[in-house]
Amino acid sequence: MRTNVLLPLLISFLLIVPLSSHAHTVIIALGDFQPMFAPEGEPALFKSIIDGVYKHIPDRQVQYLYMMPTKRLLNMLNKGEADGAANIFNQAEVQGCITDPVFRYEDVVITRTSKKFKIMSLEELSGKTVVGYQRALNLLGDKYKAFMEKNPKYQEVGNVTDQARLLSQDLVDVSIGDKYLFLHSLKQIAQDKFNPSDYQIHTIFPPVYTYMGFNDQQYCDEFNTALKKFQESGEYEKVYSQFLKVYGYATP
């Protein structure tokens, strides 16, 4: 009789335990371009930011879906196949919520050190051969668009590696784009010959931020609270500094 009573209780317990542990897991889809994202086990800038935030949410486990093209990543989030997705540009992309600004892009002007350019404004790019990333004219503001449309030596390419190659081979004076993406590409094509002192970074653009997107407001709220703690701890900026050091650049 005692066995008959305990058996249903045991079965109920076994069914409940997996469900309760799974309730603490959040599934997050990641992008597919380095160094912001990377295959599992490899360092990735934006994943490191997410990891740092979730250290402040100890009862939440994170399961990542790696190297997702942007369109697939958004579809998975909006269809509920993932709880969250990284690198969302605006609310219109998602049916759920977006967080406070999380991921920082730092578009900069990069030149060869040997050219000894001092660039502190757009006007100082006048007369120079310039390569930008695809759609830079639409993304870097009206002033940039108006200025570059008057420059017959301006071009845009669809691959950051092409930008790095053009500058490294001295085929252009200036490359414009995110410094982490550019330095990663430059290191990939130069390999052992990569020397960061051969290049100079000029900061003339304000940073641009993207967001985490979630399909549940609770996830957005807890992420925002943890993000603030992560930033206030100083660890947020430390992640960006550490990734610059990978490319041989010291930070202030």
Side-chain angles (χ1 to χ4, degrees), residues 102-218:
V102 183
F103 309 109
R104 185 172 70 218
Y105 285 92
E106 299 181 49
D107 283 339
V108 295
V109 172
I110 301 180
T111 62
R112 298 293 299 261
T113 304
S114 59
K115 294 291 185 73
K116 298 182 180 180
F117 291 140
K118 291 184 178 180
I119 298 173
M120 301 180 67
S121 67
L122 281 175
E123 287 70 23
E124 288 169 299
L125 296 177
S126 180
K128 296 178 175 60
T129 52
V130 180
V131 61
Y133 57 89
Q134 196 169 40
R135 297 181 65 231
L137 282 179
N138 297 321
L139 296 172
L140 287 177
D142 293 339
K143 184 178 179 180
Y144 178 86
K145 183 176 182 179
F147 187 84
M148 288 304 174
E149 283 181 338
K150 297 176 183 178
N151 183 356
K153 299 179 181 179
Y154 177 77
Q155 63 175 308
E156 293 184 358
V157 295
N159 193 314
V160 180
T161 302
D162 292 334
Q163 287 183 253
R165 185 174 291 109
L166 287 169
L167 186 62
S168 66
Q169 295 177 358
D170 217 14
L171 298 175
V172 296
D173 296 320
V174 172
S175 180
I176 293 175
D178 179 81
K179 65 183 177 183
Y180 294 92
L181 288 169
F182 182 87
L183 292 171
H184 174 80
S185 297
L186 197 58
K187 188 173 183 179
Q188 293 295 108
I189 63 173
Q191 297 182 1
D192 295 338
K193 296 180 181 179
F194 173 69
N195 185 347
S197 65
D198 290 339
Y199 301 90
Q200 186 174 0
I201 294 175
H202 314 261
T203 303
I204 66 172
F205 303 107
V208 174
Y209 290 84
T210 61
Y211 311 84
M212 284 292 299
F214 290 101
N215 55 25
D216 189 315
Q217 187 63 48
Q218 178 186 349

Side-chain angles (χ1 to χ4, degrees), residues 179-180 183 239-251:
K179 65 183 177 183
Y180 294 92
L183 292 171
V239 170
Y240 283 93
S241 297
Q242 287 173 337
F243 270 80
L244 268 190
K245 289 177 182 177
V246 169
Y247 304 112
Y249 273 89
T251 52

Side-chain angles (χ1 to χ4, degrees), residues 56-115:
H56 294 275
I57 315 176
D59 60 342
R60 185 76 70 191
Q61 295 180 348
V62 182
Q63 177 183 332
Y64 290 113
L65 304 175
Y66 291 89
M67 302 303 283
M68 297 288 166
T70 301
K71 186 175 181 180
R72 184 179 177 193
L73 176 151
L74 290 171
N75 283 339
M76 292 186 74
L77 176 63
N78 289 326
K79 290 180 179 179
E81 296 171 1
D83 300 309
N87 200 41
I88 303 301
F89 276 80
N90 56 65
Q91 177 65 66
E93 292 185 308
V94 302
Q95 296 175 8
C97 57
I98 60 172
T99 62
D100 293 336
V102 183
F103 309 109
R104 185 172 70 218
Y105 285 92
E106 299 181 49
D107 283 339
V108 295
V109 172
I110 301 180
T111 62
R112 298 293 299 261
T113 304
S114 59
K115 294 291 185 73

